[in-house]
């Protein structure tokens, strides 16, 4: 059982933020375990890549520059019906390439174009619907 599962069960309506880059530092596949166990509790997702390791190796790399299986993670998020926002936690110089990589992955998975919104307050990927980006 995942560490947070008892807390989510004990507090009805409690939501979590899945930080994919941080979860995958613990062990590859951790994000998918969290999604499968706590998918209904996920309210927001943080995305960045890394090379694995431990918490001191938190590199916040652009999507695709590390070893994280984003296609598998996105499949699992879609499978549990996640339709919330995702924040790219990367340097702004890599925002465009990471956004396009995610847009392509999600479009392939759901079979249509994906809207991406970027505004002055956040850099969010809306995995369903249309955006103004």
């Amino acid at each position: 059982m995942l560490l947070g599962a008892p807390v989510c069960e004990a507090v009805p309506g409690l939501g979590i933020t899945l930080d994919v880059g941080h979860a995958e530092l613990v062990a590859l596949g951790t994000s998918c375990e969290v999604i499968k166990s706590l998918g209904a509790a996920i309210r927001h997702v943080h995305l960045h890549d890394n090379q694995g390791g431990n918490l001191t190796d938190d590199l916040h790399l652009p999507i695709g520059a590390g070893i994280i299986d984003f296609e598998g993670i996105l499949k699992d998020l879609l499978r549990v019906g996640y339709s919330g926002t995702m924040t790219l936690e990367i340097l702004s110089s890599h925002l465009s390439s990471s956004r396009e990589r995610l847009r392509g992955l999600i479009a392939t998975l759901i079979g249509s174009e994906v809207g991406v919104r970027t505004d002055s307050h956040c850099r969010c990927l809306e995995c369903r619907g249309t955006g103004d980006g």
Side-chain angles (χ1 to χ4, degrees), residues 110-122:
I110 65 173
S112 64
E113 284 301 309
V114 178
V116 175
R117 181 191 72 210
T118 57
D119 60 34
S120 60
H121 301 292
C122 65

Side-chain angles (χ1 to χ4, degrees), residues 55 94 99 109 116-117 121:
L55 294 179
H94 299 294
R99 184 177 55 218
L109 293 172
V116 175
R117 181 191 72 210
H121 301 292

Side-chain angles (χ1 to χ4, degrees), residues 19 44-49 60-64 70 74 85-92 94-103 106 116-118 122-126:
D19 191 312
H44 189 68
V45 177
H46 289 179
L47 299 173
H48 55 96
D49 215 335
H60 288 255
L61 297 173
I63 305 304
F70 285 99
L74 294 170
T85 57
M86 298 179 180
T87 299
L88 289 167
E89 292 188 316
I90 56 174
L91 293 174
S92 59
H94 299 294
L95 180 61
S96 181
S97 63
S98 291
R99 184 177 55 218
E100 291 307 312
R101 182 175 292 267
L102 285 171
R103 179 183 280 163
I106 296 170
V116 175
R117 181 191 72 210
T118 57
C122 65
R123 306 274 188 252
C124 296
L125 172 71
E126 294 176 324

